[in-house]
Amino acid sequence: GWYRKRFTAPALARSTVYFAGATHWKQIWLNGVPYMNHTNGYTPFQVEVPPGENVLSIRVDATFGSGHWYEGGGLNRKITLVTVPGAAWLAPGGVFIDPHSSGDAVSIQAEVAAPAALDGLSIRFTVRDPDRHEAVVGAVTLAVAADEWRGAAGPAVALVKGQLTPTEKLALW
């Protein structure tokens, strides 16, 4: 079936439409232009949208039978407009904490994206323990050189790494 939604994305922010899944094969158009194809009804995908008025069109083909749990089709999972204000943001799934970190120091890396390369950036990380208490708080000031950013067609992306010191010895799980 076909789905179409007209909406306005805010200015001065990065906006994406996040799909938790749609069964099964999808063709996506943004503002009348082919944007992407996506297969598999059980994996999420997202569409980055520019500020202002947008029209998102999706064709979902459910004739491909998966033989798994759900044989229906369409937009059957949650869809969310995610808006991140500011000049830079963390890429979805872009934060990685090294599982081999000791309880005394935490190695963290993050994939940061921005509309264009930035000269410097300050990121504050907070890591919570299983009881949701702040276990690690740290601010890392990053000076990312212009040649460290990649991505000419879309947002610039840089991988940044740092070491954080826990507020107290971590109980690693």
Side-chain angles (χ1 to χ4, degrees):
W2 282 91
Y3 301 87
R4 180 170 292 142
K5 178 70 175 176
R6 182 179 303 272
F7 62 96
T8 302
L12 303 174
R14 175 189 183 244
S15 297
T16 58
V17 179
Y18 177 83
F19 294 81
T23 309
H24 282 280
W25 187 76
K26 284 80 62 191
Q27 293 175 295
I28 296 103
W29 287 264
L30 179 62
N31 299 322
V33 177
Y35 184 86
M36 69 182 286
N37 294 332
H38 183 263
T39 57
N40 191 326
Y42 306 103
T43 58
F45 62 97
Q46 62 187 18
V47 176
E48 188 161 337
V49 296
E53 188 77 14
N54 290 284
V55 177
L56 187 62
S57 304
I58 302 171
R59 178 179 175 261
V60 182
D61 181 355
T63 59
F64 169 77
S66 71
H68 293 294
W69 306 278
Y70 180 73
E71 294 300 331
L75 300 179
N76 56 339
R77 294 194 177 177
K78 189 174 182 176
I79 302 167
T80 308
L81 176 63
V82 179
T83 301
V84 180
W89 55 88
L90 296 172
V95 176
F96 177 75
I97 298 174
D98 186 346
H100 303 293
S101 296
S102 70
D104 299 320
V106 175
S107 297
I108 190 167
Q109 68 181 29
E111 189 175 51
V112 180
L118 300 173
D119 288 332
L121 186 62
S122 178
I123 300 176
R124 180 177 172 83
F125 294 99
T126 302
V127 179
R128 299 183 185 278
D129 67 16
D131 295 324
R132 310 267 314 136
H133 299 111
E134 289 186 4
V136 178
V137 178
V140 180
T141 301
L142 309 167
V144 183
D147 62 350
E148 293 182 77
W149 292 88
R150 64 184 193 278
V157 177
L159 184 66
V160 295
K161 297 179 181 181
Q163 286 274 63
L164 302 176
T165 303
T167 54
E168 57 187 61
K169 180 117 173 123
L170 288 179
L172 302 176
W173 3 310

